[in-house]
Amino acid sequence: MVLKKVIYYLAGLFALSGQAFAQNNGGMHKAPSPLYRDPIYDGAADPIVVYNQAEKLWMMLYTQRRANAQTQDVAYCYGTAIGVATSKDHGQTWAYRGTLKLDFERGTNTFWAPEVIYDKGTYHMFVTYIQGVYNHWAGNARLVHYTSKNLWDWKFIGDLKLAGSIIDPTLMKLPDGKWHIWYKGPDANTLTAESSDLVNWKADPKVAIGGPEHEGPKIFRFKDYYWMITDEWHGQRVHRSKDAKTWERQGMVLDKPGHRPEDTPTGAHADVVVTGDHAYIVYFTHPGRKSHQNDGGHDADDAFTYSTKRTSIHVAELEYNDGTLVCDRDKPFDFYLP
């Protein structure tokens, strides 16, 4: 009898504390700020968030820049692996889990900005690849394709036979039954190609989205429109379309500094996760800089300071307002990945 009373008492205590927590948070799942920092190199960039069907958890894949390494100029952006963090509590906390094993040729090489889609029980990853490591911006970038059943073990399929030095893929299957890919082309515009099998690609000779110069396109479907965000290096440009082929250029989001911890100056290279009526934008910042494009910080050895190299991952909510998307990164929102 005494044991039952103790159990009832503890259950009531937990219930009251849970109610108090919900009241204090307005019944809201408040996203931490920052959402994530890489505990190894402190340079998590270009994030995507994808659900692992096998393990029933969310995974964040990202470019693992070597921000805390002492290197000349931008060498910390090369020799990068694809980092992995996982969340078992619907996106509230993220644990670093290591890096993906993607090497298909000898040497130390560079991987940037992954994109993952799920089709017929198989994950397909398209990722930027550069052979070798450079001290300054250099190297021929290409897009390479892998497949996996579990998001951990990846099989190399091959290069996408698309011309030029290209980076930053994003994909979607359209009503025409074909897969479409958009990516940054040699002139810093968004180009596109289509495929029936995710292996053989036919490029469209027309530019999908022209100037001003940009990178990091991301396509998603929300509120009966197709949307594309692109990174103009001072925030994210919004584009809207009815058919994902003709795009209307709209305003900017994440172009003003936020006031949450680490959420400044502007939001860079983002992913968007749509779940129900919510569209969450996941992006990275350089909190040690006054502007996203590096504003100095070289030391006597031609290396950037650690403060200007390190990055943080954040999340905010995109809202549909008067036919377009807006984002108040300081506004509280309910962040829950089901």
Side-chain angles (χ1 to χ4, degrees):
M1 180 65 71
V2 173
L3 181 59
K4 280 186 177 180
K5 287 183 178 179
V6 171
I7 292 173
Y8 288 146
Y9 172 76
L10 290 174
L13 199 61
F14 285 132
L16 286 173
S17 64
Q19 289 171 6
F21 178 81
Q23 289 169 359
N24 289 338
N25 289 275
M28 181 180 294
H29 305 87
K30 186 178 179 181
S33 183
L35 184 67
Y36 177 75
R37 284 175 65 176
D38 180 285
I40 307 300
Y41 289 114
D42 210 7
D46 314 329
I48 64 166
V49 175
V50 58
Y51 186 67
N52 187 314
Q53 302 280 347
E55 296 186 20
K56 306 302 180 186
L57 51 75
W58 287 89
M59 296 180 69
M60 182 189 297
L61 308 182
Y62 58 90
T63 306
Q64 190 183 46
R65 294 179 177 178
R66 299 176 295 119
N68 57 15
Q70 180 71 7
T71 65
Q72 186 189 11
D73 196 25
V74 294
Y76 73 98
C77 294
Y78 287 87
T80 47
I82 298 303
V84 181
T86 60
S87 176
K88 297 180 179 180
D89 59 2
H90 308 286
Q92 290 296 302
T93 56
W94 296 85
Y96 177 74
R97 299 287 303 279
T99 60
L100 299 181
K101 294 178 173 58
L102 301 176
D103 288 325
F104 58 87
E105 60 182 359
R106 64 187 63 163
T108 300
N109 302 296
T110 299
F111 293 90
W112 292 342
E115 168 74 319
V116 172
I117 56 100
Y118 185 69
D119 183 52
K120 299 175 183 176
T122 298
Y123 295 96
H124 295 260
M125 179 165 61
F126 298 84
V127 62
T128 304
Y129 176 76
I130 299 174
Q131 187 182 74
V133 176
Y134 296 85
N135 284 335
H136 311 292
W137 294 122
N140 182 62
R142 57 204 222 246
L143 300 181
V144 292
H145 178 197
Y146 296 80
T147 60
S148 174
K149 292 294 185 181
N150 58 17
L151 284 172
W152 287 103
D153 304 302
W154 293 93
K155 176 184 177 182
F156 177 67
I157 302 301
D159 286 36
L160 276 67
K161 306 302 182 186
L162 298 169
S165 185
I166 55 177
I167 64 173
D168 298 350
T170 184
L171 289 91
M172 180 177 282
K173 193 173 191 178
L174 296 184
D176 62 8
K178 295 180 180 179
W179 286 95
H180 294 252
I181 187 170
W182 295 261
Y183 52 94
K184 179 188 176 184
D187 296 322
N189 293 322
T190 295
L191 306 181
T192 188
E194 64 179 38
S195 173
S196 298
D197 58 7
L198 291 170
V199 175
N200 300 291
W201 293 90
K202 179 182 178 183
D204 189 326
K206 301 186 298 295
V207 171
I209 296 178
E213 293 184 344
H214 58 269
E215 63 185 15
K218 177 65 184 185
I219 189 169
F220 57 101
R221 180 82 173 166
F222 187 58
K223 299 295 184 182
D224 297 323
Y225 285 101
Y226 295 99
W227 303 91
M228 184 90 72
I229 55 170
T230 56
D231 187 353
E232 294 186 2
W233 306 293
H234 58 93
Q236 303 294 303
R237 175 70 64 185
V238 177
H239 308 265
R240 189 184 71 176
S241 178
K242 276 293 187 182
D243 59 6
K245 295 180 180 180
T246 302
W247 296 93
E248 303 172 53
R249 185 169 178 265
Q250 304 196 312
M252 299 286 291
V253 296
L254 307 180
D255 56 324
K256 300 291 191 297
H259 295 90
R260 296 182 298 176
E262 305 268 309
D263 194 12
T264 187
T266 55
H269 197 124
D271 185 29
V272 176
V273 181
V274 176
T275 172
D277 288 332
H278 297 280
Y280 301 118
I281 185 166
V282 184
Y283 57 98
F284 80 94
T285 65
H286 277 290
R289 299 183 185 182
K290 295 179 181 178
S291 63
H292 174 70
Q293 291 184 300
N294 210 315
D295 47 7
H298 279 83
D299 62 18
D301 298 314
D302 193 27
F304 287 114
T305 63
Y306 165 62
S307 179
T308 59
K309 289 188 293 186
R310 73 176 187 87
T311 54
S312 295
I313 304 294
H314 296 267
V315 63
E317 185 166 22
L318 294 172
E319 295 182 280
Y320 183 74
N321 183 20
D322 195 24
T324 191
L325 295 179
V326 297
C327 180
D328 180 353
R329 59 205 288 189
D330 293 326
K331 181 180 177 179
F333 66 99
D334 190 37
F335 178 56
Y336 185 86
L337 298 175

